[in-house]
Amino acid sequence: MNASEIIIKKLKSLGGHVDIKQLNGNITDFYFVKDDTFWSSGLYKLIDDGYLFNMFDLLEKESQRFENRCIPKGNARKYKLGEVGCSIDTAVGILGYLYYKKETGDSIYEPMHVIAAVLEWAGIAKNKRGYIQF
C-alpha cells in the first residue's frame, strides 16, 4: 500500500477530519475536500479543490534516492525553486518540480510543516527537525 492509500484509509476511518500535532507543538486540522483531495488550515489559503494525495507518494518514492531515506525539508519561504534550500534535493523542491510543476526560479507554497506532520501521523515517516525520514 502506498503512502496516499494509507493516509486516505486512516482519514476515512476517523470520519474524514482529524487534528494533527505538528513538530512545533501546534495543532492543525486535516480533512477531505473531495474524495481525492485534502486541506488543512495550516496551509493558509485553499488552492482550487485542495491538494491531491499523490504528493505523499511523490515524496515516498523520491526518498529512495537519499541516504537512510532522509529528505531535507528545505524552505520555500526563504528560497526560490532551484536554489540550495529549495532544490530537487529537498522535500519542498521535490514538490515544487514534481507536484506543482513549477520551473527553476519560481516561488512555491511552503506546505512542509503540515505534510511532514501528516506523514508522521500516518506512521509512514518520522517528522524530524530539518528532515523527513521514511
Side-chain angles (χ1 to χ4, degrees), residues 38-103:
F38 69 89
W39 194 250
S40 166
S41 60
L43 296 171
Y44 309 116
K45 180 182 173 190
L46 183 62
I47 303 168
D48 300 320
D49 289 326
Y51 286 122
L52 293 168
F53 284 92
N54 74 329
M55 75 167 25
F56 298 106
D57 300 333
L58 291 170
L59 291 172
E60 182 180 47
K61 180 181 177 192
E62 287 294 309
S63 73
Q64 296 175 29
R65 63 184 177 87
F66 292 85
E67 186 175 340
N68 298 320
R69 297 190 70 196
C70 292
I71 307 175
K73 289 179 183 173
N75 185 336
R77 289 186 183 112
K78 185 175 180 181
Y79 302 102
K80 293 205 181 282
L81 191 58
E83 294 179 347
V84 170
C86 191
S87 72
I88 192 70
D89 292 324
T90 65
V92 73
I94 289 166
L95 293 179
Y97 284 111
L98 303 180
Y99 180 81
Y100 297 124
K101 305 289 189 204
K102 297 290 185 174
E103 296 183 16

